[in-house]
Amino acid sequence: MAPFARVAIIGLGLIGSSLARAVKGLMPGVALAGFDRDPGVREAVARLGLVDEVAPSPADAARRADLVVLAVPLGAMRAVGEAVRDALAPGALLSDVGSSKQAVIDALFDLVPAGVHLVPAHPVAGTEKSGPEAGFAALFTGRWCILTPPEGTEPEAVSRLADFWTRLGSRVEVMDARHHDLVLAITSHLPHLIAYSIVGTASDLEGVTKAEVIKYSAGGFRDFTRIAASDPTMWRDVFLMNRDAVLEMLARFSEDLSALQRAIRWGDGDALYRRFEASRAIRRAIIDAGQDTDAADFGRTHPDAPEPGPERGRP
Ligand code: NAP
């Protein structure tokens, strides 16, 4: 039996709509209510039939739900928490999908009524797209969902939410919120910051025209542009809400970048080679862990490419 009978999702963009699709597909008996502040999104969700009821307010969606998931940008968590608090039924579980976790606990902890369980969660899955049309049911399949219950949370509430995400195809891990923020700062937040920065630098270059940057982008730059196309609101909030962990990782990164800069300046090919070789092993480990495709160039089609032969260039 599904761990929840009625689920409310507040915020029906990429993640909220993907969650709605996954719940509908994998837990067909569960009643689904949803709300988004954007009337266009509400209209699209109703047209696509993603939830049983598109509610007129967050409180209306949350009323009678035994699981309420906030899938709004981090900066909106507090306001949405305030909007749903009085509608939360005793015994209900309040959760979210935000990309930074201590900030969500800080925003929601004192709002949660007695008898309601707060179990923040972060499905480590997403794309650079936004909105309900961009969502898809399999987004969470095989991806990690990290739960960060505050100290003192009832273990039974944590295992119910773990059961929910497991049934959606995710692999679940429970972690301290601050540790989550540090790990995600290096695996997700810093790479986005670097992508935003490098794409900005390229477009500001004086000696190279914007047309050339676009025309010759079929190299590493193109992959940075995909990451840098991610939602500006979401990422603004991530950097504001995970400031300390991001600054710590950024300091480490700057030191390592300086070391590479020095190796290039002094012609230290061995240092460069050692660093590049180690990076390749990380890529291999990610593929072996089933977290990315082994296909060359992320599986993009190249009609003129030779047939795949024995693998070359592996460390
Ligand atoms: P999204 O596609 O932009 O969807 C967010 C939706 O929430 C938008 O329709 C937005 O409407 C709505 N919203 C904003 N403020 C609201 C409020 N006060 N009340 C009700 N609805 C509100 O964003 P997303 O990618 O799904 O991200 C949602 C959450 O998931 C964020 O916390 C993010 O950190 C987390 N997350 C994202 C990813 C990813 O890769 N995208 C991955 C994991 C977790 P407006 O457009 O009018 O603002």
Side-chain angles (χ1 to χ4, degrees), residues 105-125:
I105 294 177
D106 293 345
L108 298 178
F109 191 76
D110 65 324
L111 289 176
V112 180
V116 171
H117 311 280
L118 173 65
V119 187
H122 177 204
V124 187

Side-chain angles (χ1 to χ4, degrees), residues 74-292:
L74 288 165
M77 293 287 178
R78 173 95 189 164
V80 178
E82 283 170 346
V84 297
R85 68 193 290 184
D86 293 335
L88 295 171
L93 200 154
L94 177 64
S95 189
D96 76 302
V97 295
S99 306
S100 146
K101 300 283 24 124
Q102 188 57 46
V104 171
I105 294 177
D106 293 345
L108 298 178
F109 191 76
D110 65 324
L111 289 176
V112 180
V116 171
H117 311 280
L118 173 65
V119 187
H122 177 204
V124 187
T127 75
E128 69 280 17
K129 304 267 199 267
S130 311
E133 270 97 358
F136 54 99
L139 181 62
F140 311 110
T141 310
R143 311 311 308 276
W144 287 99
C145 183
I146 303 173
L147 312 188
T148 62
E151 239 182 88
T153 307
E154 277 185 27
E156 196 269 338
V158 180
S159 38
R160 273 176 89 196
L161 193 66
D163 183 18
F164 175 77
W165 280 103
T166 304
R167 283 163 189 256
L168 298 180
S170 290
R171 299 196 254 170
V172 175
E173 182 102 11
V174 178
M175 206 182 270
D176 169 73
R178 287 196 192 284
H179 187 67
H180 164 280
D181 291 353
L182 207 57
V183 172
L184 270 290
I186 189 66
T187 60
S188 170
H189 307 169
L190 200 57
H192 276 80
L193 195 71
I194 293 165
Y196 283 125
S197 163
I198 200 168
V199 172
T201 304
S203 77
D204 288 348
L205 283 178
E206 280 163 12
V208 180
T209 66
K210 204 169 254 178
E212 282 174 309
V213 168
I214 293 165
K215 184 170 166 190
Y216 299 117
S217 71
F221 183 71
R222 185 181 56 182
D223 291 332
F224 278 116
T225 62
R226 183 192 69 74
I227 300 174
S230 299
D231 189 74
T233 304
M234 171 188 159
W235 285 98
R236 177 202 62 197
D237 287 4
V238 166
F239 292 116
L240 295 179
M241 302 284 171
N242 198 21
R243 189 181 63 170
D244 294 348
V246 168
L247 289 177
E248 187 177 331
M249 289 304 165
L250 195 53
R252 296 277 287 267
F253 171 76
S254 302
E255 284 172 22
D256 290 347
L257 194 61
S258 297
L260 287 177
Q261 191 176 6
R262 198 175 323 110
I264 294 169
R265 186 179 309 286
W266 295 104
D268 187 349
D270 288 347
L272 293 173
Y273 187 88
R274 275 197 308 275
R275 172 45 65 105
F276 299 163
E277 195 181 32
S279 307
R280 207 173 209 199
I282 296 258
R283 172 78 190 149
R284 174 58 37 204
I286 289 170
I287 291 163
D288 290 347
Q291 295 298 305
D292 206 351

